[in-house]
Each structure stands twice: as structure tokens, then as C-alpha cells.
Amino acid sequence: MIEGDDDYSDTLSITNKDSLRLLKADIMRRAKCYTELIEEFSSQNFVDGRLNDYLQFELEKAKQRDNKCYCTDEVPVSNLRPVKERFES
């Protein structure tokens, strides 16, 4: 479903596909696949700005090698710069 290799993927909206990709990023971080997450998602940009905030949070936690559980209300809203620019430092 996440990668879009099946018929079900064709019926998902862009927002739903992005939500599934974000879920994959969270699962990768929780599974301690930090390097893989950073490589796969550091250049990702979602249509929905809030999803970009969540992704930025996942990337920052992966850089910190943090696999703890977080709630969405712990994610700062920062949508002032593009994701790639916010992550590069």
C-alpha cells in the first residue's frame, strides 16, 4: 500500500498516500532504522504543510537516534521554510 505497487494504491488520494508514507517514516524510526529513514525521506516534500512538520520531526528524531513514542501535539508547527532547507544544517 505504501509503495503503490498494488491495485489498492490507485484508489488512495494523494493525502492518504502521504499519510501512509509518513507512517512508514515513523515505523522506521521506531524500529531504529535511522540512516535508512534519513536517506529515504530527507528530500521528501508533502503537499500538506502539516505533514511536512511531522516529517521534519521524524527526521530530527532520527538524527538524534531517538525511537521513543510521541504524540502529534508534541510536533512543533514551523512551516516557514521548505522541508529540505529546514533539515539541512
Side-chain angles (χ1 to χ4, degrees):
M1 283 175 33
I2 293 172
E3 300 303 328
D5 292 338
D6 58 12
D7 294 333
Y8 179 76
S9 173
D10 295 335
T11 64
L12 292 173
S13 70
I14 290 173
T15 303
N16 287 338
K17 286 180 183 179
D18 288 350
S19 294
L20 287 174
R21 296 226 2 102
L22 186 60
L23 179 61
K24 178 181 179 182
D26 186 56
I27 291 168
M28 290 173 74
R29 182 183 61 78
R30 298 292 306 279
K32 300 180 182 180
C33 298
Y34 307 118
T35 303
E36 295 89 341
L37 185 155
I38 292 168
E39 288 173 2
E40 182 171 342
F41 288 93
S42 63
S43 63
Q44 179 76 48
N45 192 11
F46 297 122
V47 175
D48 182 327
R50 187 65 176 145
L51 293 182
N52 286 325
D53 290 335
Y54 294 137
L55 179 60
Q56 184 65 27
F57 185 82
E58 293 290 347
L59 289 166
E60 289 172 9
K61 294 300 177 187
K63 279 183 78 173
Q64 297 167 6
R65 305 186 74 72
D66 180 343
N67 75 328
K68 295 177 190 143
C69 180
Y70 292 94
C71 296
T72 57
D73 61 346
E74 296 176 89
V75 177
V77 177
S78 61
N79 244 342
L80 303 175
R81 298 178 280 147
V83 171
K84 186 175 181 181
E85 184 180 316
R86 284 187 280 161
F87 186 66
E88 293 176 346
S89 51

